[in-house]
Amino acid sequence: MASRSLGGLSGSRSGGGGGGGGGKKSLSARNAAVERRNLITVCRFSVKTLIDRSCFETIDDSSPEFNNFAAILEQILSHRLKGQVTWFGYESPRSFWDYIRVACRKVSQNCICSIENMENVSSSRAKGRAWIRVALMEKHLSEYISTALRDFKTTRRFYEDGAIVLGEEANMLAGMLLGLNAIDFSFCLKGEGLDGNFPAVIDYTPYLKFTQSSDSISSDEEELRTLGSSGSESSTPENVGPPFIMDENSWFNKCKRVKQKYQLTLEQKGYLEELLRLRENQLSESVSQNKILLQRIEDSDLAHKLEKEQLEYIIVELQDQLKSYQSLDQLSAEVSLSQTSLDPGQSQEGDGKQDTLNLISEGKEDTPSLLGLCGSLTSVASYKSLTSLKSNDYLASPTTEMTSPGLTPS
């Protein structure tokens, strides 16, 4: 019986030990998940505070928001980072710069070589901090992180299981860092912020502010009354007075903050209204100028169209005149050739043809539109030759034509 009871006791103990081992594993997994979630959440808050602060002042090394962000990013990149194994089998601590230096080589125009060659930065941790500042000034921090995370083989070589850069949080990290490209940073790479002798410490107090609602404030007042009345029988209203005074001060401070926010919002509203009026004036001016330009374009198109029609009409008239002049040349040639073979009795018929030719040439006058647009053609030699056809000097009498050596048939 005793052996059985001991066996059962030992069995229960062994079973309890197995349950304790499973509980430890689940507890460690839960702690690792909470740690990763806390770092990612705080990183998101720090990015938001940086963006808000950049609207009012320049972000540099003296900005507490940036120092906190740099510490958060350094701890994220150092989360579960493997140590460097020496020749003797010992594992020495390693900085995240060793991982960034290898994984970010593929980034175009990267700053890895320039940071490696910096004279005033010697330690690996200081080089990592200098890289964060240079990447922010170059507006390429998100690109560096995305490129490093895509190199999964190198990431597995440098980090242990459960690291943030190996989990689903890594994609969130690259996305939230993209908003920092809109900020203009200004850093000095010779300050105390690059000192690699001290680890980075995160300040959680800016993100742990608790704002109570109106319901919670009323319940707190009731709790203060109950605590003050039940603390001791000899308690007097004077003992309960200080909490109410503190509440009044808190209400006064809250109203003061609300008033400041209201004034700031009112100033921003006036600025935006003035900016809106300015943009509306610029838009109206642009619209009026656009209308003027469109009217000019329409007028020029109409003028070009009229000019084209006039030129086409002139071309038709020139073609008609050219045909008439060619017919006159043929008639004159026929008359001159026929006069050589005709007798004096037939010369009268030739004179009749000549008169009809002169009448045709006299009836065909220059087009007024041609003279108006192209100018006077009296100085042109070809025009002289054409107008000379109107006179009877060119068409001589039959006797003179017969005696002329230039008009004798060959």
Side-chain angles (χ1 to χ4, degrees):
M1 294 294 292
S3 62
R4 288 180 181 178
S5 63
L6 289 174
L9 182 62
S10 63
S12 64
R13 285 181 178 177
S14 62
K24 288 181 180 179
K25 290 182 179 180
S26 62
L27 182 61
S28 63
R30 184 255 179 193
N31 292 338
V34 169
E35 185 181 6
R36 292 195 302 268
R37 187 168 61 251
N38 289 341
L39 285 175
I40 291 296
T41 304
V42 172
C43 182
R44 184 171 66 252
F45 288 158
S46 65
V47 170
K48 289 183 178 180
T49 55
L50 271 177
I51 295 174
D52 294 339
R53 180 61 59 182
S54 65
C55 298
F56 302 99
E57 62 183 17
T58 305
I59 305 298
D60 53 9
D61 295 282
S62 62
S63 175
E65 290 82 7
F66 165 72
N67 293 327
N68 213 22
F69 167 76
I72 293 169
L73 184 60
E74 184 174 342
Q75 290 208 12
I76 288 175
L77 295 177
S78 301
H79 183 253
R80 301 187 70 85
L81 183 66
K82 292 181 181 179
Q84 188 174 6
V85 180
T86 60
W87 290 98
F88 300 100
Y90 297 103
E91 187 174 347
S92 60
R94 175 183 282 175
S95 173
F96 71 92
W97 169 247
D98 299 330
Y99 164 67
I100 293 296
R101 180 183 56 188
V102 177
C104 295
R105 291 285 185 181
K106 298 179 181 179
V107 179
S108 60
Q109 298 180 358
N110 59 75
C111 59
I112 305 298
C113 296
S114 59
I115 292 176
E116 286 284 354
N117 297 327
M118 292 178 67
E119 297 179 355
N120 59 324
V121 179
S122 57
S123 64
S124 178
R125 182 182 293 173
K127 290 180 180 179
R129 294 175 180 176
W131 168 77
I132 293 175
R133 287 161 172 78
V134 173
L136 286 173
M137 288 191 290
E138 292 180 350
K139 303 181 186 298
H140 292 326
L141 181 60
S142 177
E143 183 181 358
Y144 280 109
I145 296 297
S146 301
T147 305
L149 295 177
R150 282 196 296 267
D151 192 356
F152 190 73
K153 184 177 180 180
T154 303
T155 306
R156 291 286 302 176
R157 183 160 57 92
F158 278 88
Y159 288 91
E160 299 176 357
D161 293 335
I164 294 178
V165 295
L166 291 175
E168 298 178 355
E169 298 86 356
N171 297 326
M172 298 172 57
L173 177 64
M176 69 178 66
L177 294 179
L178 191 61
L180 298 177
N181 295 341
I183 304 177
D184 294 329
F185 294 93
S186 177
F187 301 118
C188 179
L189 301 180
K190 297 182 180 180
E192 297 178 356
L194 299 180
D195 189 4
N197 298 325
F198 302 98
V201 179
I202 301 175
D203 183 13
Y204 291 96
T205 53
Y207 318 116
L208 297 178
K209 293 180 180 179
F210 178 70
T211 304
Q212 291 181 336
S213 63
S214 58
D215 297 334
S216 63
I217 291 174
S218 62
S219 62
D220 290 343
E221 292 177 355
E222 294 177 359
E223 290 178 359
L224 288 173
R225 291 193 187 96
T226 56
L227 289 174
S229 60
S230 62
S232 61
E233 295 179 357
S234 61
S235 63
T236 59
E238 287 77 10
N239 296 332
V240 187
F244 290 102
I245 294 174
M246 293 176 62
D247 290 339
E248 290 177 0
N249 292 332
S250 65
W251 275 108
F252 178 76
N253 294 331
K254 184 178 291 186
C255 292
K256 188 177 180 179
R257 288 195 298 270
V258 170
K259 186 178 179 180
Q260 291 177 354
K261 290 182 179 179
Y262 173 74
Q263 291 178 353
L264 180 61
T265 305
L266 194 62
E267 292 177 357
Q268 292 179 352
K269 177 177 176 291
Y271 170 73
L272 292 176
E273 288 178 352
E274 184 65 25
L275 186 62
L276 180 61
R277 284 194 295 268
L278 180 61
R279 293 293 182 267
E280 287 178 351
N281 294 333
Q282 292 178 353
L283 180 61
S284 61
E285 291 178 359
S286 300
V287 170
S288 60
Q289 292 179 359
N290 190 18
K291 290 182 179 178
I292 293 172
L293 292 176
L294 290 176
Q295 187 63 33
R296 289 180 180 176
I297 291 173
E298 291 178 358
D299 296 340
S300 62
D301 289 341
L302 182 59
H304 292 164
K305 187 176 180 180
L306 295 175
E307 186 178 358
K308 181 180 179 182
E309 292 177 354
Q310 291 179 359
L311 291 175
E312 289 177 352
Y313 181 71
I314 291 170
I315 290 172
V316 172
E317 289 183 350
L318 290 174
Q319 290 177 352
D320 294 339
Q321 290 185 3
L322 183 60
K323 290 179 181 178
S324 64
Y325 290 148
Q326 289 177 354
S327 63
L328 290 175
D329 291 338
Q330 291 177 358
L331 288 175
S332 62
E334 290 177 358
V335 169
S336 60
L337 291 175
S338 63
Q339 286 177 354
T340 58
S341 60
L342 291 177
D343 55 350
Q346 295 178 349
S347 62
Q348 294 179 357
E349 295 179 0
D351 293 338
K353 292 182 179 181
Q354 182 178 357
D355 295 336
T356 56
L357 182 62
N358 292 332
L359 290 174
I360 292 172
S361 62
E362 288 177 359
K364 191 66 176 180
E365 296 179 353
D366 295 330
T367 304
S369 59
L370 177 62
L371 296 176
L373 292 176
C374 300
S376 178
L377 300 177
T378 55
S379 60
V380 183
S382 61
Y383 185 77
K384 288 182 178 180
S385 61
L386 292 174
T387 54
S388 61
L389 293 174
K390 300 176 183 179
S391 63
N392 295 326
D393 298 335
Y394 186 83
L395 297 175
S397 60
T399 55
T400 57
E401 295 296 332
M402 291 298 293
T403 58
S404 176
L407 296 176
T408 56
S410 57

